Amino acid sequence: MEALAHVKFVRMSPRKVKLICDMIRGKDVKTAFGYLMSTPKAATEPMLKLLKSAVANAEHNFSMDAEKLYVSTVVANPGPTLKRGMPRAKGSYNRILKRTTHITIGVSEKA
């Protein structure tokens, strides 16, 4: 059984979030919390909040033991891109892409 937590439309590039996803995938929850607390990346803030939510979902909805949980799946998919622009020289225009991310974390109990 796997307890999931989702967050959508995080205003951060999926490429930056995937670095943190790869770091905590497969680790037990306490180790993942330690990694997220000590990593100076901007993506750790929404990931930490989401991991707490996944653990709370596992305890409340599936009656899992928080001590036996590990991070089974972490996925960061691209969301919609906000298209903005900036005027440049000679009447031209450069496009600025503000990317968003949908993040899913799943936690499971170790057997």
Side-chain angles (χ1 to χ4, degrees):
M1 183 68 65
E2 184 177 46
L4 296 174
H6 308 279
V7 64
K8 294 186 174 189
F9 306 107
V10 176
R11 264 290 294 122
M12 198 169 298
S13 171
R15 184 177 179 177
K16 294 176 183 179
V17 177
K18 284 180 184 180
L19 293 172
I20 304 300
C21 291
D22 295 339
M23 189 173 65
I24 66 169
R25 187 178 293 117
K27 306 283 190 285
D28 63 282
V29 171
K30 283 189 177 183
T31 307
F33 274 125
Y35 282 172
L36 290 176
M37 294 295 283
S38 63
T39 304
K41 296 277 190 184
T44 58
E45 186 178 334
M47 294 287 282
L48 188 63
K49 192 172 180 179
L50 191 62
L51 184 58
K52 286 180 183 178
S53 176
V55 171
N57 289 344
E59 289 177 330
H60 184 266
N61 298 340
F62 301 107
S63 301
M64 294 181 187
D65 184 18
E67 298 296 320
K68 297 179 183 176
L69 292 178
Y70 74 101
V71 181
S72 56
T73 58
V74 185
V75 180
N77 293 323
T81 302
L82 306 172
K83 281 126 180 129
R84 303 292 183 260
M86 180 174 283
R88 305 306 287 185
K90 299 182 181 179
S92 63
Y93 180 80
N94 274 4
R95 182 161 255 187
I96 297 172
L97 300 176
K98 296 183 178 279
R99 301 185 188 278
T100 61
T101 306
H102 301 322
I103 309 170
T104 302
I105 291 184
V107 293
S108 298
E109 256 185 340
K110 288 189 178 182

